[in-house]
Amino acid sequence: MKNFVEIFEVGPRDGLQNERSRIALDDKIAFINLLSRGGFRRIECASFVSPKWVPQMADSAEVMDGIERTSTVSYAALTPNLRGFERAVMARVDEVSIFGSASEGFSKANINTSISESLERFTPIMLAAKEENLPVRGYISCVTDCPYDGSISPESVAKVANELLLMGCYEIALGDTLGKGTPEKIHNMLTSVTEDVPINRLAGHFHDTNGLALANIDVALDFGIRVFDAAVGGLGGCPYAPGAAGNVATEKVVCHLESLGFETGLDSSIVDQAVGFARQLRGKYH
């Protein structure tokens, strides 16, 4: 297992959420069903947020109801508050995610609260998740740079990561939301974060705005991180991070990891089909 690296596929949620044209429910379901055959252990499928803020995710309950579930896949959803969590439970998700930020400016723009207030809001979700026996993953946005606050100190990231760990998050995904992270910045950030958080509880979530995502993954690999978020076809972006490009492409990460001697357990032919499907979606709705 030392040479195994898991890719957490986030295309159906983080990848599609920023598409301007509404994507048909049947296409979302077909996309997830295809990915379910690819060997992924976890797929992020939905977001139970207000449709006012993220209209693309308004049909998340219908998506979860319509997919053909595979027993080896954990189907995940984003839940920013208790109401969203309750809707996710009704939709029979396998795990949920909460999302905070290492930047005060981004936290206020994204979820309209300070960092400390956002962490307080997660407490009832964590309690409810414990009762439902649902795993909770934590996201941290802007781990190196913020569109509002500029450079983010590694200590700020470490503080939020430690809080999420103490709350009970089984894993914490460190997000380079703008894609402005460099190997040096990622190294400094991870040096600080790993003082408090065990490396096996961390994941990397890198956007590829400046083409450095793979180099940043290499730094994280050197630290011992073995889980990375990615989206087939490089789908994605963030509505609250102007100028941010998509997630690092799953197919690029697979190729890169395999060239380094790591195994991902993914079926390359299915991944290629999913890349084609993602491109068709963009062509169909643009």
Side-chain angles (χ1 to χ4, degrees):
M1 295 299 290
K2 193 173 183 180
N3 288 326
F4 178 80
V5 175
E6 181 187 357
I7 296 178
F8 192 142
E9 176 58 47
V10 299
R13 196 286 299 179
D14 195 31
L16 295 183
Q17 71 170 5
N18 205 39
E19 294 297 307
R20 292 181 181 178
S21 299
R22 185 68 62 86
I23 295 171
L25 174 63
D26 287 348
D27 283 333
K28 292 180 182 179
I29 290 171
F31 187 34
I32 296 168
N33 288 346
L34 176 58
L35 291 166
S36 292
R37 302 195 298 272
F40 295 99
R41 296 182 177 187
R42 293 178 284 176
I43 301 173
E44 190 179 60
C45 302
S47 181
F48 290 90
V49 298
S50 169
K52 176 183 177 182
W53 303 115
V54 189
Q56 192 67 258
M57 294 288 111
D59 56 0
S60 285
E62 291 82 0
V63 168
M64 296 304 301
D65 185 58
I67 59 175
E68 298 171 5
R69 301 187 185 224
T70 302
S71 61
T72 54
V73 178
S74 178
Y75 297 96
L78 209 63
T79 56
N81 51 45
L82 190 56
R83 183 180 178 186
F85 174 84
E86 291 167 348
R87 291 172 58 211
V89 170
M90 291 179 64
R92 298 183 298 114
V93 303
D94 295 310
E95 63 178 89
V96 300
S97 298
I98 55 178
F99 53 99
S101 173
S103 154
E104 290 288 355
F106 191 82
S107 182
K108 289 172 182 174
N110 192 19
I111 52 179
N112 200 32
T113 68
S114 67
I115 294 173
S116 61
E117 288 170 339
S118 71
L119 293 170
E120 289 174 9
R121 287 187 182 183
F122 297 150
T123 300
I125 298 175
M126 300 304 297
L127 292 172
K130 189 173 182 180
E131 288 185 9
E132 296 287 344
N133 199 29
L134 274 183
V136 181
R137 192 182 201 228
Y139 278 104
I140 304 178
S141 300
C142 300
V143 297
T144 63
D145 297 90
C146 169
Y148 310 102
D149 296 345
S151 296
I152 302 301
S153 73
E155 293 76 21
S156 297
V157 184
K159 182 178 179 181
V160 176
N162 191 46
E163 291 280 357
L164 292 173
L165 180 71
L166 294 175
M167 280 184 186
C169 290
Y170 79 90
E171 185 173 82
I172 299 155
L174 302 167
D176 176 19
T177 310
L178 292 187
K180 289 188 175 181
T182 63
E184 181 181 7
K185 288 180 179 180
I186 297 299
H187 183 277
N188 293 339
M189 181 270 294
L190 287 175
T191 298
S192 185
V193 170
T194 53
E195 290 180 2
D196 297 314
V197 181
I199 200 70
N200 64 354
R201 304 286 289 275
L202 296 172
H205 181 109
F206 301 118
H207 287 222
D208 209 17
T209 310
N210 292 332
L212 290 175
L214 294 182
N216 292 335
I217 284 175
D218 286 344
V219 173
L221 286 168
D222 288 342
F223 270 83
I225 289 178
R226 293 294 181 267
V227 178
F228 296 95
D229 297 355
V232 291
L235 289 171
C238 178
Y240 298 98
N247 294 282
V248 63
T250 300
E251 62 274 17
K252 285 177 62 176
V253 180
V254 172
C255 185
H256 183 67
L257 289 172
E258 290 179 350
S259 74
L260 296 174
F262 291 101
E263 297 178 5
T264 63
L266 299 181
D267 184 329
S268 58
S269 65
I270 297 295
V271 171
D272 288 344
Q273 288 179 48
V275 172
F277 194 96
R279 288 174 179 164
Q280 286 177 7
L281 282 183
R282 279 193 156 163
K284 182 177 181 180
Y285 294 102
H286 282 267

